Structures are given as structure tokens and as C-alpha cells.
Amino acid sequence: MKILTVIGARPQFIKAAALAHAAKERAGVQELLLHTGQHYDPNMSDVFFDELGIPAPAYHLGIGSGPHGAQTGQMLAEIEKVLLQEKPDWLLVYGDTNSTLAGAVAAAKLHIPVAHVEAGLRSFNKRMPEEVNRILTDHVSAALFVPTQTAVQHLSAEGLAGPQVHVVGDVMYDVALTMAERAKAHSTVLERLGVQPGGYVLSTIHRAENTDVPERLAAIVGGLALVAQELPVILPLHPRTRKLAAEQGLDFGGIQVTNPVGYLDMVRLEQAAAVIATDSGGVQKEAYFYGVPCVTMRDETEWTELVESGWNRLVTPTSAQTVRDEVLAARGRRGEEGQLYGDGQAAGRILDILMQGPT
Ligand code: UD1
Ligand code: UDP
């Protein structure tokens, strides 16, 4: 069985690690990675291949940044060429980025079955590019690998119920379980940044709905700067946010702004944080994996079970004061114990199912 896996953005390299390792050990499975080049800075791409031992991509399209249509369109044209050449049994995509959509559409048009990992997630906000990408991808997929029962219900409500839907757990949890101890043992990030376990807030911001709305970005940065007057705040800054904050002339005050960090340092920063304040999808879940209270600076989340279980709280960033108050109030908060995202064996299950062929 030949799988062509399309990846392009930071969270997809991390998600891809679990299946790439499982595929290497499975007889009769060949996985080829295609990197679209959506993310290209070394600290947004190469670092994850190195740290997570992900095989080098067989194809690198080098497409880079651009408006949605141009970026997705270029990917679509180039992925089609690779598919015609490789004729894989499956085209596999993760999540909801433009790389995901391009891969799914290219394959569906060539009648190559699409496997979508992290299917069935919904924010019910179609102004988000991610919501458009994930809905379209789900509807052209032959295998839908979902992390939770909530995702099954979302698919069912759109007429996507049946043997093509598989609840397998979350591949990010697979990766977290294998890397958590390594991060604790090997990362020196806390020492390098001069922070103590339990003594700081970790934040990430990159969603268009925050970075592209000046009042929201100002409220988030201003709120974190207020927090930093009382508790250190570490902010590994996504290049998108760095660019837009600079254009807006925002003052980061006492926030410790760093470049994006590698996965091991990120996991260590998450494990030892007092609070995580983010708009990232992956970081919300990782906060839960490591038992750290999370404040999600968005109007809604796809990962509703985190809010329901009490580990996460949604905060619309209306003012700096609101952000500050919510972040500081989250200290010490805990939620219900449980295992919301499977048992860390999602990748193996996905391979088992793919080996049976499309239903
Ligand atoms: C993309 C995904 C988003 C995901 C995020 C993960 C889409 C529509 N969005 O958002 O769902 O949560 O990745 O991080 O696919 N840039 C660099 N260097 C890089 C990459 C990006 O400087 O290596 C800058 C460029 O100015 C670029 C901007 O960041 O225009 C945005 O990059 P892009 O890949 O378009 O979207 P993300 O915001 O990263
Ligand atoms: N991440 C990282 N370094 C950083 C920020 C995030 O390694 O500086 C990791 C994080 O641990 C998680 C993933 O990147 O595994 C989340 O990606 P991101 O927030 O970019 O995208 P999203 O999950 O929102 O799509």
C-alpha cells in the first residue's frame, strides 16, 4: 500500500510524526511525504523534522506564502502532477490548512481516495479559513478519522455517517505521549528563559481572526503586557503575528517575546506553565495533556470537550483588562480527569484501516 501524505504547516509536521513512525515499521506500507512549503522558516518547519525524526519529504513544492486562492491553487496544480506520477492508494491529509484542502481536492478529482485525519471538527464559523477547508475536505474524503464522538455527530449532521467514519483518537496525543519525557529530560528552555516551573504564563497567538483585527490583537498584546507586570509571560511569536503587530506598532511591554520554538522546548514550556493563553488548536489540547489550565482567546473552539470538562475557558479578547483578568484567574483551576483523546494508539489504528482499502 502506498500512501502520499500532504503536509505544509507546523502542526501538520507534528501530527505526521506518529503515522510516519508507525508506517516505517509496518510491512507492506510505503508512505511518501509531500511538503507544500506553506511554512518554510527553519523554526516553522525543519526543526520538527529533526526533533521528531520525520523522514525527509519525497517532494517539496516550495510554494510559500500568498493569498488563499493563489497559494491553494498553486498547491493544487503541483500536487496533481505528483499524484499522476505516483498513483498512490491513498492521499492522506491532516487538519484544516490550505495544504489540506489542496491535497484533498487534487486527489478527489483524480479518483484517488482521500483519508482525512482530524475530520469532523467544526467551529460553525465559516469566516475562518480553517472551517471552509475542513468542511470541503471532509466532503471529498473516503476515510474520515475522527478524534471524538462529538466529531462523529458533526459529520452525521452533514450527511456523512457510515463505515467511512472511524473514531481513532488523536494523533497529537500519540506524539505527546512519546515526547513528554524526552522534553522534560532534555529541554533547557526554562533555564535559558530564566523562568521557574509553575511561575509563568505561556502564550501563542496566530489566528487570522485575532491577528487581522487590530482591536483584538491590541487587546491580547495589551492584556498579556498587563499580566507580565505580575507574572512572567513567554510568547513564542508566530511570524504572521510578528508582522502584523509591527505594522500596528504594538508595544509588548514586559512580555518575553521569542522566536517560534522547537517542539521539545514547546512541550517543556507547556508542561511547566501556570496558565496557557492561546488561540491555537493544538496548544489547547496540549494544555490538557499536561494538566495545565488554558484560556483560549477566541469566540468559539472546535475542541468543545475541553471547555465542558473545565480545563479550558473561552475569552473573547474585547479589552486588555478582560484578557489580563481571565488569564490571572485561571491559575490553579483544574478540570475533570479523563482521557478525551484516545489512548495514544491512533496512528496504528489509522494504518490498520487504510490497509483494508476504501469502504
Ligand atoms: C496556517 C493555517 C492555520 C494554522 C497555522 C499553524 C491556513 C489558512 N492557515 O496559518 O490554520 O493554524 O498555519 O501555524 O492554512 N510566515 C513566515 N514564515 C513561515 C510561514 C509563514 O514568515 O514559515 C508568515 C508569512 O508572512 C505568511 C504568514 O506568516 O504570509 C501566514 O502564513 P500562512 O501559512 O498563510 O498562514 P498561518 O497564519 O501560518
Ligand atoms: N508549537 C511549537 N512551537 C511554537 C508554537 C507551537 O512547537 O513556538 C507547536 C505546539 O506545541 C503544537 C503545534 O505547534 O503541537 C500547534 O501549531 P499551531 O499553533 O501553529 O497551529 P494550530 O494547532 O492552531 O493549527
Side-chain angles (χ1 to χ4, degrees):
M1 176 181 64
K2 188 198 273 188
I3 306 170
L4 185 86
T5 297
V6 171
I7 50 181
R10 173 168 67 186
Q12 295 170 328
F13 310 136
I14 296 160
K15 291 169 195 173
L19 202 122
H21 291 303
K24 259 194 296 189
E25 285 166 19
R26 195 68 78 96
V29 175
Q30 182 192 16
E31 186 192 34
L32 297 176
L33 296 177
L34 181 154
H35 187 325
T36 62
Q38 179 170 349
H39 286 175
Y40 43 86
D41 291 345
N43 58 18
M44 294 293 288
S45 176
D46 296 357
V47 67
F48 301 102
F49 287 81
D50 295 345
E51 288 188 353
L52 292 160
I54 304 166
Y59 295 91
H60 197 304
L61 305 183
I63 294 197
S65 306
H68 288 280
Q71 186 185 51
T72 312
Q74 281 178 50
M75 291 175 187
L76 183 55
E78 296 303 317
I79 295 169
E80 182 174 67
K81 290 180 198 161
V82 176
L83 287 171
L84 287 168
Q85 193 177 318
E86 292 290 346
K87 299 187 176 50
D89 299 295
W90 287 99
L91 177 292
L92 187 139
V93 283
Y94 293 95
D96 52 24
T97 70
N98 288 348
S99 299
T100 311
L101 178 64
V105 174
K109 296 266 187 175
L110 295 173
H111 310 139
I112 292 168
V114 177
H116 187 202
V117 180
E118 221 179 63
L121 275 280
R122 294 290 181 270
S123 66
F124 300 100
N125 174 4
K126 285 204 187 121
R127 292 184 56 82
M128 290 177 68
E130 293 87 355
E131 184 77 351
V132 175
N133 291 343
R134 56 172 90 98
I135 291 174
L136 296 174
T137 302
D138 281 343
H139 282 260
V140 295
S141 291
L144 294 151
F145 294 108
V146 307
T148 63
Q149 282 299 335
T150 311
V152 175
Q153 287 159 20
H154 292 155
L155 291 175
S156 173
E158 293 175 19
L160 297 175
Q164 78 277 30
V165 179
H166 308 275
V167 185
V168 290
D170 193 318
V171 286
M172 281 196 109
Y173 188 46
D174 294 18
V175 182
L177 285 181
T178 59
M179 299 298 281
E181 285 309 314
R182 206 179 307 173
K184 205 175 254 175
H186 297 295
S187 169
T188 57
V189 70
L190 303 185
E191 294 80 0
R192 293 195 323 267
L193 294 175
V195 287
Q196 301 297 323
Y200 63 92
V201 171
L202 172 67
S203 185
T204 75
I205 321 157
H206 74 277
R207 292 289 176 157
E209 69 215 72
N210 286 328
T211 58
D212 297 11
V213 180
E215 310 79 60
R216 286 176 77 109
L217 190 57
I220 292 172
V221 171
L224 294 174
L226 289 175
V227 172
Q229 293 174 4
E230 295 176 50
L231 200 62
V233 176
I234 309 293
L235 178 64
L237 205 55
H238 191 290
R240 173 191 201 99
T241 318
R242 186 178 286 280
K243 193 173 98 184
L244 289 155
E247 279 173 22
Q248 226 178 298
L250 289 179
D251 178 5
F252 285 89
I255 302 170
Q256 287 178 255
V257 178
T258 74
N259 285 322
V261 296
Y263 185 69
L264 289 173
D265 282 349
M266 186 64 184
V267 167
R268 188 68 200 120
L269 283 168
E270 289 172 339
Q271 289 169 332
V275 175
I276 293 177
T278 189
D279 60 9
S280 157
V283 175
Q284 285 173 61
K285 282 183 290 171
E286 288 167 346
Y288 169 76
F289 299 157
Y290 304 123
V292 176
C294 185
V295 170
T296 295
M297 300 179 287
R298 286 183 49 194
D299 300 345
E300 70 277 306
T301 178
E302 298 76 19
W303 305 101
T304 48
E305 53 284 331
L306 294 175
V307 176
E308 284 151 16
S309 67
W311 285 101
N312 193 0
R313 213 172 127 85
L314 283 172
V315 174
T316 297
T318 46
S319 71
Q321 194 64 37
T322 306
V323 171
R324 175 219 169 260
D325 292 351
E326 291 283 355
V327 170
L328 289 176
R331 280 178 293 183
R333 192 177 63 213
R334 296 189 63 78
E336 288 162 31
E337 303 296 331
Q339 249 193 335
L340 292 171
Y341 298 108
D343 58 2
Q345 304 295 323
R349 279 190 201 102
I350 291 170
L351 274 185
D352 292 345
I353 294 163
L354 293 179
M355 287 183 86
Q356 292 164 18
T359 47

